[in-house]
Amino acid sequence: SSGINAEYGGEEGEWKGADQIQSDLVTLSDTPRAKWTALCNLDVIKKRNKPKAPPTAPKAAPFFLQTTKELVPKFVVEEKAPEEKESSKPLRVGESDFQRMLLANTGNTQEILRYMDSMPTPMLDLELQSLSPSDGGSHELVEGFLNFLGAAHALRTSFDLVQAYTNVFLKYNRQYLMETASLRKKLAELRNLHKDQWADLQRRIQEVVCVTNFLKNVAL
C-alpha cells in the first residue's frame, strides 16, 4: 500500500527511519565522527601538519666573493631580508550564503543545520571565525547564530553537531559575547538549556546502565 511504500522509501523497499522518534529524546546525526571532531581541533591539526620550514634550493655561491675596502679586507656577508610572517587568520571578502541565511531570520533551523553539515570543515571554521565585528562580521551575525544555537538545542536533533558548533562558536566569539550586555542574557539562556539537556541525557544513560546491569546479573 502507499503507506507502507512511504515508510520504506518507495518502490525500492529501502527503510527510512523518522528524524525524531519522540520530542523529548536526543537524536544524533549521521555525520561521521571524524568530521565534527576535526572541526573542534582544526587549529591543532593545522599546527601539526604545518611544515617546520619550506623547502629551499641551496643558494649558488658567486664567482667572485666581494670584500670590504679596508687595510685588511674581509668578505662581505649579505644580510637576509626579514621574513614576512603568515597571517594566522584567513580572510574572506564579501557576505557569504551562510551569513545571508543567518540574517534572513526565517527560523528554518533544520535548513541551516543541513547547510552547515554540507560545508567543508575549513570553510565552516572560517565562517564561525568571521561572525564578530572585529573579524569582519557584525553584531547581527553573532546574535543570529546565538539564536540559531538556542533553536537547535531545543530541537534535540543532530545533538553531536550542535555541541561541536557551540564549542567552536564560543571559542572564537566568547570575548565579544562577554563584552556585549545585550548578548549576555541570551548566552545565559543557552547555558541553562544546555545544562538541562545534559542533565536529562545523563539521567537516561544512567537508567539504561542500571537496566543493563540488572539483566546481566539476573538468574535465568
Side-chain angles (χ1 to χ4, degrees), residues 26 156 159 196-206:
V26 170
R156 291 175 172 257
F159 188 75
D196 292 342
Q197 282 194 353
W198 268 109
D200 182 60
L201 183 61
Q202 289 176 339
R203 179 181 61 81
R204 292 177 184 274
I205 292 175
Q206 188 62 34

Side-chain angles (χ1 to χ4, degrees), residues 59 77-85:
K59 188 176 181 180
V77 180
E78 295 183 1
E79 295 183 358
K80 294 183 179 180
E83 296 181 358
E84 295 184 359
K85 294 185 178 179

Side-chain angles (χ1 to χ4, degrees), residues 129-180:
Q129 284 189 61
S130 308
L131 293 176
S132 66
S134 60
D135 296 314
S138 65
H139 173 85
E140 290 74 19
L141 284 173
V142 178
E143 185 177 20
F145 194 80
L146 198 56
N147 293 334
F148 157 75
L149 286 179
H153 275 83
L155 285 177
R156 291 175 172 257
T157 59
S158 301
F159 188 75
D160 45 354
L161 292 183
V162 175
Q163 298 303 310
Y165 299 157
T166 304
N167 178 292
V168 179
F169 170 73
L170 293 178
K171 179 175 69 173
Y172 290 134
N173 301 280
R174 62 179 180 271
Q175 187 67 30
Y176 182 73
L177 290 169
M178 296 307 297
E179 293 174 352
T180 309

Side-chain angles (χ1 to χ4, degrees), residues 42-201:
L42 192 61
D43 50 349
V44 178
I45 296 173
K46 287 181 178 179
K47 186 176 180 180
R48 182 183 61 195
N49 294 341
K50 185 178 180 180
K52 295 182 178 179
T56 55
K59 188 176 181 180
F63 186 77
F64 294 103
L65 297 177
Q66 296 181 358
T67 57
T68 59
K69 298 179 179 180
E70 299 175 353
L71 185 61
V72 180
K74 298 179 181 178
F75 292 112
V76 176
V77 180
E78 295 183 1
E79 295 183 358
K80 294 183 179 180
E83 296 181 358
E84 295 184 359
K85 294 185 178 179
E86 282 187 25
S87 175
S88 58
K89 184 179 296 182
L91 300 176
R92 181 179 46 73
V93 180
E95 190 177 72
S96 65
D97 292 338
F98 175 69
Q99 292 184 346
R100 282 190 285 270
M101 292 176 71
L102 290 178
L103 295 175
N105 196 22
T106 58
N108 196 341
T109 306
Q110 289 284 16
E111 183 181 351
I112 298 178
L113 275 172
R114 285 192 293 268
Y115 184 79
M116 293 178 71
D117 191 24
S118 67
M119 295 173 65
T121 301
M123 181 64 68
L124 179 56
D125 182 78
L126 175 59
E127 291 287 0
L128 296 179
Q129 284 189 61
S130 308
L131 293 176
S132 66
S134 60
D135 296 314
S138 65
H139 173 85
E140 290 74 19
L141 284 173
V142 178
E143 185 177 20
F145 194 80
L146 198 56
N147 293 334
F148 157 75
L149 286 179
H153 275 83
L155 285 177
R156 291 175 172 257
T157 59
S158 301
F159 188 75
D160 45 354
L161 292 183
V162 175
Q163 298 303 310
Y165 299 157
T166 304
N167 178 292
V168 179
F169 170 73
L170 293 178
K171 179 175 69 173
Y172 290 134
N173 301 280
R174 62 179 180 271
Q175 187 67 30
Y176 182 73
L177 290 169
M178 296 307 297
E179 293 174 352
T180 309
S182 60
L183 296 179
R184 286 200 295 266
K185 182 179 178 181
K186 292 188 176 183
L187 188 62
E189 293 174 355
L190 179 63
R191 180 194 60 188
N192 294 334
L193 180 60
H194 182 271
K195 184 179 179 180
D196 292 342
Q197 282 194 353
W198 268 109
D200 182 60
L201 183 61

Side-chain angles (χ1 to χ4, degrees), residues 12-40:
E12 298 180 359
E14 181 181 353
W15 182 82
K16 183 179 180 181
D19 293 335
Q20 187 81 341
I21 300 175
Q22 293 181 12
S23 59
D24 60 336
L25 297 180
V26 170
T27 304
L28 301 179
S29 69
D30 56 359
T31 302
R33 181 180 179 182
K35 182 174 182 179
W36 57 263
T37 52
L39 176 65
C40 294

